[in-house]
Amino acid sequence: MTADIRRFPLRLDIRRGAVDMSHGSGGRAMAQLIEELFHRHLGNELLLAANDQAAFEVPAGRLVMSTDGHVISPLFFPGGDIGSLAVHGTVNDIAMAGAVPLYLAAGFILEEGFPLADLDRIVASMAAAAQAAGVAVVTGDTKVVERGNGDGVFITTTGVGRVPAGVNIAGDRARPGDAVLVSGTVGDHGVAIMSSRENLEFDTAIRSDSAALHGLVAAMVAAVPDIHCLRDPTRGGLASTLNELAHQSRVGMQLREAAVPVRGEVAAACELLGLDPLYVANEGKLVAICDGADAEALLAAMRAHPLGGDAAIIGEVVADDHALVQMETAFGGQRVVDWLAGEQLPRIC
């Protein structure tokens, strides 16, 4: 405490203060922001070492690394905020390889004038999400841009994870005869964000599904070790994710619209906003593809987990050199489910 008082004669005024250019200068003001705000929430042995990097032992086996930038608007939304989202997004990208997340790095681009109280709330949320996910933020960076050249705060997170022995999950492993599953209702996150932007109110509150999925993935791998593909359908939604996997594996997919879970209030909001829920972003759902013979066992494992209660088998993989994703509609017709064209919902994650 005595050392802190000597370095920083006045405490950071988090309640009434705001980010200024000195907080990105590399000097005393930046050091105080890091110590009194970032370290206070995110502190751990590796981060508090205060080096330009985090040094840690490398476990045996394959490692995976992923990075994700978060520019969502608004910064606070029903069911989450940019802080928790920045943790969940990268944890989930790592988990889609069947990996256990180990460490995160975080980069913050702050806009001059951004309230320190909001930044404090975001970093606290980030810390809570990381703690809940069992992953530590071990290094980071902050930069400040002039007023008007940002939108409050942008966050980039990079993660490292370890893949358990014997797990081989990749986007090019779908084969004809495989089953296609989704872990729950689609479109919740995108509609929650859009509702916040447009100040729309519905009979039932629509909340983002933002969540860390590595626990669900671990339960799935335990039940069916040979899962072929996993992917979280974020930007572009379920439709674009399935097109990605179809093209990577050079196969087609046949879906059943009636089997795709969509909350009634999300369906109603999509109809009002002119959106197709198949293309609306999710932040707490995943798509799984496995051998058709393993589908029921995988479905049971997903439904037994708190984040997979609404899981469903929504279709199957078929042979198709054109890699088309098609769907039997609720009325018995057939339509192509193409890639998302253009930007349906900008600044969604």
Side-chain angles (χ1 to χ4, degrees):
M1 180 63 75
T2 302
D4 283 349
I5 292 174
R6 283 201 298 268
R7 290 184 67 189
F8 313 123
L10 298 175
R11 302 291 296 181
L12 196 65
D13 188 352
I14 291 176
R15 189 163 63 92
R16 291 171 295 187
V19 172
D20 62 46
M21 296 305 294
S22 69
H23 289 130
S25 67
R28 190 187 302 272
M30 190 180 84
Q32 185 176 22
L33 179 70
I34 291 172
E35 290 191 20
E36 296 187 7
L37 196 152
F38 289 99
H39 284 184
R40 178 165 57 85
H41 289 299
L42 299 171
N44 55 71
E45 183 179 357
L46 294 177
L47 185 65
L48 295 179
N51 294 315
D52 285 346
Q53 70 297 120
F56 47 83
E57 299 295 327
V58 178
R62 287 190 300 137
L63 297 180
V64 295
M65 183 170 71
S66 184
T67 191
D68 206 351
H70 302 275
V71 297
I72 193 166
S73 176
L75 298 174
F76 303 94
F77 48 85
D81 56 66
I82 191 172
S84 57
L85 184 69
V87 171
H88 296 156
T90 295
V91 164
N92 290 347
D93 286 344
I94 291 170
M96 294 307 107
V100 178
L102 299 174
Y103 302 110
L104 293 178
F108 292 78
I109 307 296
L110 308 174
E111 182 183 9
E112 180 186 17
F114 187 64
L116 289 177
D118 285 351
L119 181 60
D120 189 70
R121 181 180 168 193
I122 288 168
V123 178
S125 174
M126 193 172 191
Q131 182 176 22
V135 61
V137 179
V138 296
T139 189
D141 185 48
T142 59
K143 295 289 191 302
V144 179
V145 296
E146 297 86 349
R147 192 186 303 269
N149 288 339
D151 195 5
V153 57
F154 300 144
I155 303 175
T156 297
T157 46
T158 300
V160 176
R162 181 182 63 83
V163 182
V167 174
N168 179 24
I169 300 171
D172 63 355
R173 293 196 63 217
R175 298 290 180 267
D178 284 356
V180 181
L181 299 88
V182 65
S183 64
T185 54
V186 300
D188 299 5
H189 175 73
V191 169
I193 301 303
M194 184 56 71
S195 299
S196 296
R197 290 181 193 171
E198 303 298 331
N199 292 319
L200 298 177
E201 294 184 0
F202 301 95
D203 291 340
T204 302
I206 301 175
R207 298 172 62 83
S208 167
D209 58 356
S210 180
L213 295 172
H214 61 296
L216 171 61
V217 171
M220 294 167 63
V221 170
V224 179
D226 190 26
I227 296 171
H228 294 172
C229 309
L230 288 176
R231 190 151 299 179
D232 51 339
T234 55
R235 285 175 299 169
L238 178 65
S240 295
T241 295
L242 293 177
N243 274 281
E244 290 173 5
L245 294 172
H247 279 260
Q248 275 187 262
S249 295
R250 301 308 304 169
V251 296
M253 294 186 191
Q254 179 63 47
L255 310 179
R256 294 179 296 279
E257 184 175 21
V260 178
V262 182
R263 296 185 193 280
E265 55 269 36
V266 169
C270 285
E271 185 173 352
L272 177 67
L273 298 168
L275 304 174
D276 184 338
L278 293 181
Y279 295 91
V280 177
N282 311 271
E283 289 292 344
K285 301 297 182 334
L286 61 81
V287 172
I289 296 178
C290 68
D291 190 291
D294 292 330
E296 290 297 335
L298 187 60
L299 179 64
M302 295 166 77
R303 287 181 171 173
H305 191 276
L307 295 178
D310 293 320
I313 300 172
I314 61 171
E316 51 275 333
V317 177
V318 299
D320 183 357
D321 291 338
H322 300 290
L324 291 178
V325 177
Q326 302 188 65
M327 185 166 70
E328 178 185 340
T329 70
F331 300 102
Q334 190 79 3
R335 74 176 175 101
V336 174
V337 178
D338 206 350
W339 297 79
L340 175 65
E343 181 66 280
Q344 189 181 47
L345 292 172
R347 307 280 301 277
I348 198 70
C349 60

